[in-house]
Amino acid sequence: MAQFDAAELITQREQVSNRIRADLLKRAQEFNIALEDVSITHMTFGREFTRAVEQKQIAQQDAERARFIVEKAEQERQANVIRAEGEAESAETISRAVDKAGDGLIFIRRIEAAKEIAQTLANNPNVTYLPGGRGNEGGIGGGGGTGSNILLGLRT
């Protein structure tokens, strides 16, 4: 009667080898045979068993990959929640500051945004700025007394 199944021969090779060694040494002593060493050097299995073991390993790897993807998605979800909480806290802080100090902060942010836009346009060689007049010169956009400023997109 077999003491080990095929899976145990693969997964517990060292233990199986030790057990076989002990059994062979005990049996050989009964016949006054001294064994120095016993080694399992080669084991073969049927094609179906080998294929089943490979498929099991592939399934385990797929399961690990899926578990990793789920863990990554959970971490991303937690990061999004933390980011959203931070943004909400920031908006609340800005709202309290506006309530307390007026809309000066919003005005400063508008100026900063306008400066950034102006800098981007100034660095673009295909955009030209044409300032409008201040009086009733009848120039571009004229007539109203306030004058208009124009940005031209030049293509080469």
Side-chain angles (χ1 to χ4, degrees):
M1 178 169 78
Q3 296 178 356
F4 304 101
D5 64 20
E8 290 174 333
L9 290 175
I10 293 173
T11 60
Q12 302 173 9
R13 186 177 180 129
E14 186 66 29
Q15 294 166 337
V16 171
S17 180
N18 290 338
R19 178 77 184 269
I20 291 172
R21 181 181 300 114
D23 289 348
L24 282 175
L25 288 171
K26 182 178 173 185
R27 185 83 169 126
Q29 279 182 338
E30 293 175 7
F31 296 100
N32 292 325
I33 299 174
L35 297 176
E36 299 252 337
D37 190 25
V38 175
S39 296
I40 299 175
T41 58
H42 185 70
M43 289 189 287
T44 58
F45 301 97
R47 288 183 190 159
E48 291 114 21
F49 178 77
T50 303
R51 194 172 316 120
V53 169
E54 289 172 356
Q55 289 175 348
K56 182 179 178 184
Q57 288 175 338
I58 290 170
Q60 288 173 334
Q61 290 170 352
D62 289 344
E64 278 295 316
R65 192 175 302 115
R67 192 171 13 261
F68 172 76
I69 290 170
V70 168
E71 288 175 8
K72 183 179 176 184
E74 177 62 21
Q75 289 173 352
E76 289 175 359
R77 185 194 67 77
Q78 288 175 347
N80 288 337
V81 167
I82 291 169
R83 190 176 305 111
E85 288 172 350
E87 289 173 2
E89 187 176 322
S90 173
E92 185 177 327
T93 302
I94 291 171
S95 177
R96 282 196 306 262
V98 168
D99 288 345
K100 184 176 180 182
D103 61 354
L105 178 64
I106 294 173
F107 186 69
I108 290 172
R109 292 279 170 94
R110 284 183 185 160
I111 292 172
E112 289 172 351
K115 282 175 60 178
E116 185 177 329
I117 291 168
Q119 184 65 39
T120 301
L121 292 174
N123 291 335
N124 188 342
N126 294 328
V127 174
T128 299
Y129 174 73
L130 298 175
R134 292 282 180 217
N136 284 333
E137 295 98 31
I140 298 175
T146 58
S148 297
N149 299 323
I150 298 176
L151 288 175
L152 295 176
L154 305 176
R155 293 202 167 95
T156 57

